[in-house]
Every structure is written in structure tokens, then in C-alpha cells.
Amino acid sequence: MSVSGVTVIDRTIHETNFWLRRIMDRLKTDDQQRAFSVLRVVLHIIRDCLPTEHAVQFSNHLPMLIRGLYYEGWRPSHELRVAREHALGILETELGPFAHDLSDIEEMVTAVIDTILDGIDESSGEKLIRMLPPSLQKLWLTGNPDP
């Protein structure tokens, strides 16, 4: 059934809802707004930790609607990009309202990273993991011993 009457828009809405359901399943929640907010925060941290060229290349693997979310508010020439060593601290601050403790934050980040990796090819996923700050790599590797 067409929602918008435009195939490409319907497809990206479907893909976005699929990603949100995957995150919701991983977080064991029915709260789609929470899944969306967590996805947004983690995507922005990933984007801001990657070199500009890699951030743009990575976005090509995202569904169109999620790609727009990824680019929301991005200023690639802005000098206050996220320092790799501060990524986890920023995630703790941004995701804090959705968490009871640090393990919840780790679970949220892992849920989003696993969903991203499920949606992209294996070599791109491995490349993404290698480019993430060590604190985020550790979160992903904790639940996935074979990157």
C-alpha cells in the first residue's frame, strides 16, 4: 500500500520503520520515539567522529530518510567536531534521559551499531568499526566478537 504515492518515499519510510523496529527489538521496547532518538544521537556521534570524507561515504549506505537524520545539523567545516576520546562521554550525556544506568547506554549504542551493520555490507561494516573511537569499538566488540 502506498503512503505517499511516490515509490522512493514509500520505500524509505518502510526501510526507516524497519530499522526502528530492529532497534526497538534489540532494546526490548515498544517506544518508537525512544528508538528514533537513540538512532539520531548515535548517528550524529558516528558522523562527528569520522573524517569528513568517510562520514560522507558512510552516509551512502543509509536509507534516504535516515541519511537525512544523519546530516541534520551537520557543519563539516565547523572546527568543534567530536574528539574521538570524548565520544562515549557525549553519548552518556545525550542518551542519559533514556537510560537508567551506564549499561543501558551501552545497550542503546550497541543496538544502533548492530542495526547499522545489519543494513550495510560486511566490508563497509568492518571499515566503519575500525574508524570508530576505541570506546565505541569496544561497545560493539563486546557483543560481537567477530567484527
Side-chain angles (χ1 to χ4, degrees):
M1 179 178 159
S2 177
V3 174
S4 70
V6 179
T7 304
V8 70
I9 293 173
D10 290 340
R11 184 176 330 121
T12 195
I13 290 170
H14 173 76
E15 290 170 343
T16 300
N17 283 327
F18 179 77
W19 278 47
L20 291 174
R21 279 192 303 277
R22 297 292 296 264
I23 293 168
M24 290 165 54
D25 289 347
R26 287 182 163 113
L27 296 178
K28 298 172 183 65
T29 183
D30 292 331
D31 188 344
Q32 194 168 19
Q33 183 61 49
R34 178 179 183 225
F36 178 83
S37 297
V38 168
L39 174 62
R40 180 183 173 277
V41 168
V42 175
L43 282 174
H44 286 183
I45 289 294
I46 290 171
R47 175 199 71 197
D48 293 344
C49 288
L50 295 175
T52 301
E53 181 179 334
H54 290 107
V56 171
Q57 289 173 357
F58 167 67
S59 74
N60 293 329
H61 299 283
L62 301 173
M64 185 187 334
L65 189 58
I66 294 174
R67 190 176 323 131
L69 177 65
Y70 175 79
Y71 280 119
E72 175 191 31
W74 192 38
R75 295 172 53 194
S77 62
H78 197 265
E79 297 207 14
L80 294 176
R81 307 261 331 243
V82 171
R84 292 170 61 84
E85 62 273 11
H86 297 135
L88 189 56
I90 293 168
L91 283 168
E92 290 171 2
T93 300
E94 295 288 323
L95 294 175
F98 304 102
H100 299 296
D101 57 31
L102 183 58
S103 66
D104 284 351
I105 292 170
E106 293 173 353
E107 184 180 348
M108 287 184 263
V109 173
T110 301
V112 172
I113 291 175
D114 286 348
T115 299
I116 291 169
L117 294 174
D118 285 348
I120 64 178
D121 66 82
E122 187 175 343
S123 66
S124 295
E126 290 173 359
K127 186 175 180 181
L128 171 64
I129 293 300
R130 284 193 307 270
M131 289 188 298
L132 291 176
S135 58
L136 298 185
Q137 286 181 16
K138 181 181 172 221
L139 288 180
W140 186 79
L141 293 173
T142 300
N144 300 282
D146 299 317

